Amino acid sequence: MKTAARGVIATVAGDGIGPEIINSAVRVLEAVNKRFGHSISTTPALAGAQAWDKFGEHLPKETITICEGADAILFGAVGGPVDDQDTPRWKDVEKNVLLGLRKKFDLFANLRPLKVWPGTESFSSLKPEFIKGMDVLIVRELVSGIYFGPRKRFERDGQQVAEDTNVYTWSEIERVVRVAFEAAAGRKKKLTVVDKANVLETSRLWRDVARAVAKDFPNVNMDFMFIDNAAMQLARSPATFDVIVTDNMFGDILSDLGGAIVGSLGLLPSASLNAKKFGLFEPSHGSAPDIAGKGIANPTAQILSLSMLLRYTYDLQKEADAIEAATLSAWQAGERTKDLSGNLSTEEFTSCVVKRIAA
Ligand code: NAD
Ligand code: IPM
Ligand code: MN
C-alpha cells in the first residue's frame, strides 16, 4: 500500500470567479485527503486586485515566498472587467501575475488537455459524431515568444507605432517539443506541430528543431500543420488529433477554441511545468467578470486542475482518477452548471463531486 502523502499547496485564488472555484477545489482536496488518508494542506496567497489593495502590487513578494515554499501552485484566475483594463487596480494584472509567475518558475511546458468524456458529447456545439472520442493534448510553450519579446510604442511620421517581437531560441523550442514527443509516445503516438512556417521565421526554426528531436522518437508519427488550417481541422475533425505542440500565442488561441469544441471553457484544466516538474495548475479560462459573484461558475476546470496537480506533483494517480470519475458520474446523473445548460450553482455541483469522492 502507498504511504499517506503529506504536502503543502499554495492556492492563489485571484480575481473574479477565482475565489469561488478555488473554494470548490479545496473542498475536493479535503474529500480526497479524507478518503485516502493524506495530509495535503493549502496555504492561500494573494494576487491580483486584492493584493493591489493590500500591498499596492499585483504579485507581492509574500505570495512568491509562499509559492516557493510549496510543492505546487493551484491558481484560479486574475483580471478585471474588460472595460476597466486601464485603471491602476487592473492595468497589467495578467502580465504582472501570470506572466510573472510563469517566468519566475520557468514554467515552459503548458499542458492543456481537451477531452470529451464518454456520455458528454452533448456539451459540445458540434455534432456528437464529430467529437466522439476526442482526446487531444495541447502542449503550449509558455515563457517565450511574442508574450515575452521586446515591445515598444513610438512615434513615426507623425503617427503612433507599436511593436511586439516574437523571439525563440533553439533550446527554448527543443525543451517543449521534447515534452510533447514524450507525451505523444505515451499516448497515440501522433504529434502535430502547429505553426505558420509559410510566413514566420520563428515557425521555420520550430520545424527544424522538431525534425531534429523527431530522430529520438522514431515511434512517434510527426506532422506539421499551419495554424489557420489547424483551427479549422480542430473544429471539423477534433478526434483525428493526438498531441499538438505550438508556440505561446497560437497555443493560447487554440485552447479557447478547444473549450468551445468540448462544450465550455469551464471544462479545461491545465498544468504549467518546469524542468524540475514544479508546476502551476490552473483553468485555461479567465476570471469571467461577467458571472463573478453570482455563484454559477463551472468549477470543473479548477477541480480537474487539482487532479492534474495530484498526478504530476505527488504521483497520486488513483486519487486523480477518483476526482475525474466523480465529476463524470455527476454529469452522467444529469448534474450540471449553467454553462452546460444545467441549473446547479458552483457550490451545489461541487457538493455532487465531493459526495461521490467520499462514497
Ligand atoms: P474568460 O475566460 O474569463 O471568459 C470568457 C467567457 O467564458 C465568459 O463569458 C465567461 O463567463 C465564460 N467562462 C469562463 N470560465 C467559465 C467557467 N468556469 N464557468 C462558466 N463560464 C465561464 O475570458 P475574458 O472574458 O476574455 O477575460 C476576462 C478576464 O480574465 C480578463 O481580464 C482577462 O485578461 C482575464 N484572463 C485571465 C486568465 C487567467 O488568469 N489565466 C485567462 C484568460 C483571461
Ligand atoms: C491564458 C490566458 C493568459 C495567456 C492571459 C490572461 C495573459 O489567456 O492562460 O490562456 O494569454 O496566457
Ligand atoms: Mn488564454
Side-chain angles (χ1 to χ4, degrees):
M1 228 187 83
K2 251 187 174 165
T3 50
R6 307 188 144 269
V8 183
I9 300 171
T11 52
V12 183
D15 305 311
I17 60 170
E20 301 165 41
I21 57 180
I22 280 282
N23 180 51
S24 297
V26 171
R27 286 180 60 200
V28 169
L29 176 65
E30 282 161 4
V32 168
N33 271 334
K34 200 157 171 208
R35 159 134 171 231
F36 293 93
H38 300 315
S39 318
I40 302 173
S41 61
T42 52
T43 307
L46 287 180
Q50 286 181 48
W52 177 268
D53 296 340
K54 187 165 172 198
F55 298 101
E57 50 186 338
H58 290 128
L59 183 60
K61 227 175 152 186
E62 183 180 292
T63 292
I64 294 177
T65 307
I66 291 173
C67 292
E68 280 172 335
D71 301 322
I73 305 166
L74 187 66
F75 190 90
V78 288
V82 177
D83 291 341
D84 295 348
Q85 296 283 325
D86 283 332
T87 62
R89 191 166 184 254
W90 293 114
K91 192 172 179 333
D92 286 336
V93 58
E94 300 88 346
K95 278 204 257 178
N96 294 340
V97 177
L98 270 177
L99 274 53
L101 285 172
R102 290 170 184 174
K103 199 66 170 180
K104 161 83 198 155
F105 292 100
D106 198 23
L107 305 169
F108 67 92
N110 181 216
L111 314 182
R112 296 190 159 183
L114 312 174
K115 190 160 168 166
V116 173
W117 304 85
T120 67
E121 290 82 2
S122 66
F123 293 173
S124 174
S125 44
L126 299 185
K127 295 194 187 94
E129 61 265 34
F130 287 113
I131 53 154
K132 204 170 179 359
M134 172 182 180
D135 183 3
V136 182
L137 176 67
I138 296 182
V139 180
R140 168 189 176 196
E141 199 291 323
L142 203 60
V143 293
S144 186
I146 201 159
Y147 275 63
F148 290 93
R151 49 181 119 256
K152 62 180 176 201
R153 183 85 91 91
F154 53 99
E155 200 144 310
R156 191 173 61 203
D157 302 332
Q159 63 176 336
Q160 291 270 313
V161 183
E163 220 175 80
D164 296 287
T165 325
N166 194 11
V167 185
Y168 269 109
T169 65
W170 183 287
S171 55
E172 284 170 340
I173 302 166
E174 182 178 347
R175 61 184 186 167
V176 71
V177 166
R178 260 184 207 286
V179 168
F181 266 106
E182 276 155 16
R187 295 169 45 109
K188 288 183 248 157
K189 303 189 169 35
K190 189 169 172 223
L191 176 65
T192 305
V193 181
V194 170
D195 61 33
K196 190 76 188 173
N198 44 355
V199 180
L200 303 179
E201 199 54 41
T202 43
S203 292
R204 291 187 183 138
L205 183 60
W206 272 75
R207 286 197 179 198
D208 290 344
V209 174
R211 283 191 198 98
V213 177
K215 296 195 178 105
D216 294 339
F217 296 89
N219 297 331
V220 175
N221 205 332
M222 179 187 69
D223 62 1
F224 296 104
M225 200 179 277
F226 297 134
I227 176 67
D228 45 354
N229 183 29
M232 187 276 285
Q233 300 284 353
L234 197 61
R236 201 181 62 167
S237 45
T240 60
F241 288 92
D242 180 16
V243 179
I244 290 174
V245 66
T246 191
D247 78 6
N248 207 339
M249 183 82 197
F250 297 150
D252 180 42
I253 299 167
L254 271 194
S255 45
D256 267 35
L257 173 62
I261 294 169
V262 171
S264 167
L265 265 184
L267 298 175
L268 301 191
S270 83
S272 307
L273 306 172
N274 69 18
K276 293 184 184 145
K277 301 281 184 256
F278 178 82
L280 179 152
F281 299 82
E282 62 166 336
S284 294
H285 62 70
S287 57
D290 54 334
I291 57 165
K294 295 187 178 161
I296 57 168
N298 186 344
T300 304
Q302 189 77 67
I303 291 171
L304 294 181
S305 296
L306 170 67
S307 151
M308 291 183 88
L309 185 157
L310 296 179
R311 271 189 212 294
Y312 288 94
T313 306
Y314 298 112
D315 192 24
L316 294 176
Q317 309 300 332
K318 251 192 333 195
E319 291 77 351
D321 289 345
I323 294 176
E324 289 175 8
T327 309
L328 183 58
S329 155
W331 287 330
Q332 283 166 344
E335 295 161 350
R336 282 145 206 210
T337 42
K338 196 157 176 267
D339 54 319
L340 301 174
S341 312
N343 54 16
L344 295 187
S345 69
T346 310
E347 287 276 314
E348 286 164 344
F349 182 75
T350 306
S351 297
C352 296
V353 175
V354 163
K355 183 178 78 192
R356 284 175 168 80
I357 291 171

Short mmCIF file of all heavy atoms in Angstrom, two decimals, residues 27 297-300 303 326-328 330-331 335-337 340 344-354:
data_model
loop_
_atom_site.label_atom_id
_atom_site.label_comp_id
_atom_site.label_asym_id
_atom_site.label_seq_id
_atom_site.Cartn_x
_atom_site.Cartn_y
_atom_site.Cartn_z
N ARG A 27 -12.38 22.12 -1.38
CA ARG A 27 -13.35 21.15 -0.82
C ARG A 27 -13.08 19.75 -1.38
O ARG A 27 -13.16 18.76 -0.67
CB ARG A 27 -14.78 21.58 -1.16
CG ARG A 27 -15.26 22.77 -0.34
CD ARG A 27 -16.69 23.15 -0.71
NE ARG A 27 -17.63 22.05 -0.48
CZ ARG A 27 -18.84 21.97 -1.06
NH1 ARG A 27 -19.24 22.90 -1.91
NH2 ARG A 27 -19.63 20.95 -0.82
N ALA A 297 -20.41 29.84 -11.68
CA ALA A 297 -19.27 29.38 -12.49
C ALA A 297 -19.16 27.87 -12.43
O ALA A 297 -19.46 27.25 -11.40
CB ALA A 297 -17.98 30.01 -11.97
N ASN A 298 -18.71 27.30 -13.52
CA ASN A 298 -18.44 25.86 -13.54
C ASN A 298 -17.06 25.63 -12.90
O ASN A 298 -16.05 26.12 -13.41
CB ASN A 298 -18.43 25.38 -15.00
CG ASN A 298 -18.30 23.88 -15.11
OD1 ASN A 298 -17.92 23.21 -14.14
ND2 ASN A 298 -18.60 23.35 -16.28
N PRO A 299 -16.99 24.90 -11.79
CA PRO A 299 -15.71 24.71 -11.11
C PRO A 299 -14.88 23.57 -11.70
O PRO A 299 -13.80 23.26 -11.19
CB PRO A 299 -16.14 24.36 -9.69
CG PRO A 299 -17.44 23.65 -9.85
CD PRO A 299 -18.11 24.25 -11.07
N THR A 300 -15.37 22.92 -12.76
CA THR A 300 -14.72 21.71 -13.26
C THR A 300 -13.27 21.93 -13.68
O THR A 300 -12.39 21.13 -13.35
CB THR A 300 -15.51 21.13 -14.46
OG1 THR A 300 -16.85 20.90 -14.05
CG2 THR A 300 -14.89 19.82 -14.92
N ILE A 303 -11.26 22.04 -10.62
CA ILE A 303 -11.23 20.74 -9.95
C ILE A 303 -10.32 19.78 -10.72
O ILE A 303 -9.51 19.05 -10.14
CB ILE A 303 -12.66 20.17 -9.81
CG1 ILE A 303 -13.46 21.02 -8.80
CG2 ILE A 303 -12.64 18.71 -9.40
CD1 ILE A 303 -14.95 20.69 -8.73
N ALA A 326 -15.58 10.95 -10.30
CA ALA A 326 -16.67 11.60 -9.56
C ALA A 326 -17.32 12.70 -10.41
O ALA A 326 -18.55 12.85 -10.42
CB ALA A 326 -16.14 12.19 -8.26
N THR A 327 -16.49 13.44 -11.14
CA THR A 327 -17.02 14.52 -11.98
C THR A 327 -17.87 13.94 -13.10
O THR A 327 -18.99 14.40 -13.35
CB THR A 327 -15.84 15.32 -12.57
OG1 THR A 327 -14.96 15.69 -11.50
CG2 THR A 327 -16.31 16.57 -13.28
N LEU A 328 -17.34 12.92 -13.74
CA LEU A 328 -18.06 12.28 -14.84
C LEU A 328 -19.38 11.69 -14.35
O LEU A 328 -20.43 11.84 -14.99
CB LEU A 328 -17.17 11.20 -15.47
CG LEU A 328 -17.73 10.49 -16.68
CD1 LEU A 328 -18.06 11.47 -17.79
CD2 LEU A 328 -16.73 9.44 -17.20
N ALA A 330 -21.15 12.61 -11.85
CA ALA A 330 -22.11 13.70 -11.57
C ALA A 330 -22.80 14.13 -12.87
O ALA A 330 -24.03 14.28 -12.93
CB ALA A 330 -21.40 14.88 -10.92
N TRP A 331 -22.01 14.29 -13.93
CA TRP A 331 -22.61 14.69 -15.22
C TRP A 331 -23.58 13.63 -15.72
O TRP A 331 -24.64 13.93 -16.22
CB TRP A 331 -21.52 14.89 -16.27
CG TRP A 331 -20.71 16.12 -16.08
CD1 TRP A 331 -21.11 17.29 -15.51
CD2 TRP A 331 -19.34 16.30 -16.45
NE1 TRP A 331 -20.08 18.19 -15.52
CE2 TRP A 331 -18.99 17.62 -16.09
CE3 TRP A 331 -18.39 15.48 -17.05
CZ2 TRP A 331 -17.71 18.13 -16.32
CZ3 TRP A 331 -17.12 15.99 -17.28
CH2 TRP A 331 -16.78 17.30 -16.91
N GLU A 335 -26.25 16.15 -13.39
CA GLU A 335 -25.92 17.28 -12.52
C GLU A 335 -24.99 18.23 -13.26
O GLU A 335 -23.86 17.87 -13.57
CB GLU A 335 -25.28 16.74 -11.23
CG GLU A 335 -26.28 15.92 -10.43
CD GLU A 335 -25.67 14.98 -9.41
OE1 GLU A 335 -24.44 14.78 -9.40
OE2 GLU A 335 -26.44 14.40 -8.62
N ARG A 336 -25.46 19.41 -13.55
CA ARG A 336 -24.70 20.34 -14.39
C ARG A 336 -24.84 21.78 -13.97
O ARG A 336 -25.88 22.18 -13.46
CB ARG A 336 -25.20 20.25 -15.84
CG ARG A 336 -24.66 19.02 -16.55
CD ARG A 336 -25.66 18.47 -17.49
NE ARG A 336 -25.39 17.05 -17.65
CZ ARG A 336 -25.64 16.38 -18.75
NH1 ARG A 336 -26.19 16.97 -19.79
NH2 ARG A 336 -25.36 15.10 -18.80
N THR A 337 -23.80 22.56 -14.26
CA THR A 337 -23.87 24.00 -14.03
C THR A 337 -24.50 24.68 -15.26
O THR A 337 -24.74 24.03 -16.29
CB THR A 337 -22.46 24.56 -13.78
OG1 THR A 337 -21.57 23.94 -14.70
CG2 THR A 337 -22.00 24.31 -12.35
N LEU A 340 -23.47 24.46 -18.95
CA LEU A 340 -23.77 23.19 -19.62
C LEU A 340 -25.28 22.96 -19.63
O LEU A 340 -25.75 21.82 -19.59
CB LEU A 340 -23.04 22.04 -18.92
CG LEU A 340 -21.52 22.16 -18.87
CD1 LEU A 340 -20.90 21.05 -18.02
CD2 LEU A 340 -20.91 22.13 -20.27
N LEU A 344 -27.47 23.89 -11.57
CA LEU A 344 -26.78 23.81 -10.29
C LEU A 344 -25.82 24.99 -10.12
O LEU A 344 -25.18 25.44 -11.08
CB LEU A 344 -25.98 22.51 -10.18
CG LEU A 344 -26.79 21.21 -10.15
CD1 LEU A 344 -25.88 20.03 -9.86
CD2 LEU A 344 -27.91 21.28 -9.12
N SER A 345 -25.70 25.45 -8.88
CA SER A 345 -24.73 26.51 -8.57
C SER A 345 -23.34 25.86 -8.47
O SER A 345 -23.20 24.63 -8.43
CB SER A 345 -25.08 27.17 -7.24
OG SER A 345 -24.87 26.24 -6.19
N THR A 346 -22.33 26.72 -8.39
CA THR A 346 -20.94 26.24 -8.22
C THR A 346 -20.86 25.33 -7.00
O THR A 346 -20.31 24.23 -7.06
CB THR A 346 -20.00 27.46 -8.02
OG1 THR A 346 -20.26 28.40 -9.06
CG2 THR A 346 -18.54 27.05 -8.03
N GLU A 347 -21.44 25.82 -5.89
CA GLU A 347 -21.40 25.07 -4.63
C GLU A 347 -22.13 23.74 -4.74
O GLU A 347 -21.65 22.72 -4.26
CB GLU A 347 -22.10 25.91 -3.54
CG GLU A 347 -21.29 27.10 -3.09
CD GLU A 347 -20.29 26.71 -2.03
OE1 GLU A 347 -20.66 25.99 -1.10
OE2 GLU A 347 -19.11 27.10 -2.16
N GLU A 348 -23.30 23.78 -5.37
CA GLU A 348 -24.10 22.55 -5.48
C GLU A 348 -23.38 21.51 -6.33
O GLU A 348 -23.32 20.33 -5.98
CB GLU A 348 -25.48 22.86 -6.08
CG GLU A 348 -26.41 23.56 -5.11
CD GLU A 348 -27.62 24.21 -5.78
OE1 GLU A 348 -27.62 24.40 -7.02
OE2 GLU A 348 -28.57 24.55 -5.05
N PHE A 349 -22.81 21.95 -7.46
CA PHE A 349 -22.12 20.97 -8.31
C PHE A 349 -20.90 20.41 -7.57
O PHE A 349 -20.62 19.21 -7.62
CB PHE A 349 -21.70 21.58 -9.65
CG PHE A 349 -21.04 20.58 -10.55
CD1 PHE A 349 -21.79 19.60 -11.20
CD2 PHE A 349 -19.65 20.55 -10.69
CE1 PHE A 349 -21.18 18.63 -11.98
CE2 PHE A 349 -19.03 19.59 -11.48
CZ PHE A 349 -19.80 18.63 -12.13
N THR A 350 -20.21 21.28 -6.84
CA THR A 350 -19.05 20.82 -6.06
C THR A 350 -19.48 19.76 -5.06
O THR A 350 -18.81 18.73 -4.89
CB THR A 350 -18.39 22.01 -5.34
OG1 THR A 350 -18.09 23.01 -6.30
CG2 THR A 350 -17.11 21.59 -4.62
N SER A 351 -20.61 19.99 -4.40
CA SER A 351 -21.11 19.00 -3.43
C SER A 351 -21.38 17.66 -4.10
O SER A 351 -21.13 16.61 -3.51
CB SER A 351 -22.41 19.50 -2.77
OG SER A 351 -22.14 20.67 -2.05
N CYS A 352 -21.87 17.71 -5.35
CA CYS A 352 -22.13 16.46 -6.08
C CYS A 352 -20.83 15.68 -6.28
O CYS A 352 -20.80 14.45 -6.18
CB CYS A 352 -22.75 16.75 -7.45
SG CYS A 352 -24.37 17.51 -7.34
N VAL A 353 -19.75 16.39 -6.58
CA VAL A 353 -18.46 15.75 -6.81
C VAL A 353 -17.89 15.23 -5.48
O VAL A 353 -17.45 14.08 -5.36
CB VAL A 353 -17.47 16.73 -7.50
CG1 VAL A 353 -16.08 16.11 -7.63
CG2 VAL A 353 -18.01 17.14 -8.87
N VAL A 354 -17.95 16.09 -4.47
CA VAL A 354 -17.40 15.75 -3.15
C VAL A 354 -18.10 14.50 -2.59
O VAL A 354 -17.44 13.58 -2.08
CB VAL A 354 -17.57 16.96 -2.18
CG1 VAL A 354 -17.42 16.54 -0.73
CG2 VAL A 354 -16.56 18.05 -2.53
#
